[in-house]
Amino acid sequence: MPGFFKDKYKFTILYFCVLGFDVLVKLCCPAFPYRYISKPPILIILSLFYFFNHSEIKRSRFRWVSLGLFCFLLADIVLIDVENTISLGVALALVSLGKLLFCFRFSHKFDFQVRRLLPFSIIMFSYTFGLVSLVYDGLKGFFIPALFSFFISLLLFQFAYLRKGVVNNRSYWLVFYGVLLFMISEGLMAIKTFRTDLPFQDGVIMFTYGSAMYLLVMGMVTERVIRKVNLF
């Protein structure tokens, strides 16, 4: 079994087959009980892949990723019953915690140029502000939790962006595009939940989310530090 998970090509095929199956179940079958069977394996096999392939320098970084993946797994299960207000609140908290743990994983103590970060920050802040404005009327009691979650996403993207020049290019771009896809999926989910339905929303949201998690984990297991830094 460990040998299978160490083969990135075979794992990629398995992962997207499992993800595709869950998307198909989501589109064609009732949520209960089918998605409680089809959805959890996505994060479970991804967590096993990370476990067998990681080469973290510090044990704390391994714990942050493992706990983060566990939070996302729990959120995935809770979100199956998205119509339940309590479930939605719990899932939002779990996703926020998972993103925060990933922020810890991607952070490093390295000096960076503010002028390099500023244009990026303006673009991402504008995106977040526009998204909040779009779903504001539907947020109601979820305004503060949703705002906090969007802020953590912004922070996660910033940490992913600041890895450039510190890690190898393959790892950098995998994580960068992973966070980008995650924010797209999160934005679509917010619009669907708090604003209005979208064309092909169910399949697109799940596929972009699953692809984002794959890219993030693949980026972490292929990471090689090319510039000496103090890692948290």
Side-chain angles (χ1 to χ4, degrees):
M1 184 63 73
F4 176 85
F5 282 100
K6 284 183 174 294
D7 188 320
K8 295 180 176 63
Y9 178 75
K10 289 181 180 178
F11 171 76
T12 298
I13 294 175
L14 171 66
Y15 180 82
F16 281 99
C17 284
V18 174
L19 176 61
F21 177 70
D22 180 62
V23 171
L24 188 63
V25 169
K26 184 176 179 65
L27 294 175
C28 303
C29 303
F32 183 83
Y34 300 105
R35 293 215 66 215
Y36 288 95
I37 299 171
S38 68
K39 194 175 185 184
I42 297 171
L43 265 293
I44 291 174
I45 63 172
L46 194 60
S47 298
L48 288 172
F49 175 76
Y50 173 75
F51 176 80
F52 288 118
N53 289 278
H54 82 90
S55 55
E56 302 291 7
I57 298 173
K58 289 193 173 183
R59 190 69 180 174
S60 59
R61 290 157 68 83
F62 170 75
R63 288 196 297 267
W64 288 333
V65 176
S66 299
L67 288 173
L69 288 171
F70 183 65
C71 287
F72 284 117
L73 173 60
L74 292 180
D76 283 354
I77 296 172
V78 173
L79 266 178
I80 294 174
D81 187 19
V82 72
E83 302 300 325
N84 186 300
T85 303
I86 296 176
S87 296
L88 182 59
V90 171
L92 193 58
L94 287 168
V95 169
S96 297
L97 179 57
K99 289 186 292 186
L100 190 60
L101 289 165
F102 275 25
C103 284
F104 294 156
R105 167 58 179 78
F106 294 136
S107 62
H108 59 78
K109 295 179 180 177
F110 182 74
D111 293 332
F112 56 88
Q113 294 180 340
V114 174
R115 65 182 180 182
R116 173 174 164 246
L117 182 61
L118 189 59
F120 171 81
S121 298
I122 292 173
I123 292 172
M124 294 313 302
F125 177 79
S126 300
Y127 166 80
T128 305
F129 179 80
L131 181 59
V132 172
S133 299
L134 184 63
V135 300
Y136 176 78
D137 291 337
L139 288 173
K140 299 177 182 178
F142 285 99
F143 176 73
I144 298 299
L147 193 63
F148 178 75
S149 182
F150 292 148
F151 172 77
I152 298 299
S153 294
L154 190 61
L155 196 63
L156 179 61
F157 209 160
Q158 181 171 294
F159 279 126
Y161 178 74
L162 290 175
R163 294 170 71 246
K164 189 170 181 62
V166 176
V167 300
N168 56 310
N169 282 336
R170 177 177 172 80
S171 173
Y172 174 79
W173 288 112
L174 284 170
V175 168
F176 183 84
Y177 288 127
V179 177
L180 182 62
L181 272 182
F182 186 91
M183 292 187 70
I184 292 173
S185 177
E186 185 177 53
L188 293 174
M189 184 67 179
I191 294 172
K192 170 197 169 184
T193 305
F194 300 113
R195 176 78 180 193
T196 186
D197 288 337
L198 298 166
F200 313 109
Q201 58 187 16
D202 292 335
V204 172
I205 290 171
M206 191 59 214
F207 186 77
T208 52
Y209 166 74
S211 299
M213 297 304 294
Y214 169 84
L215 292 174
L216 287 169
V217 171
M218 188 63 74
M220 286 186 275
V221 301
T222 58
E223 180 182 284
R224 300 291 179 270
V225 177
I226 62 175
R227 195 168 188 174
K228 188 175 181 180
V229 293
N230 293 318
L231 302 173
F232 283 108

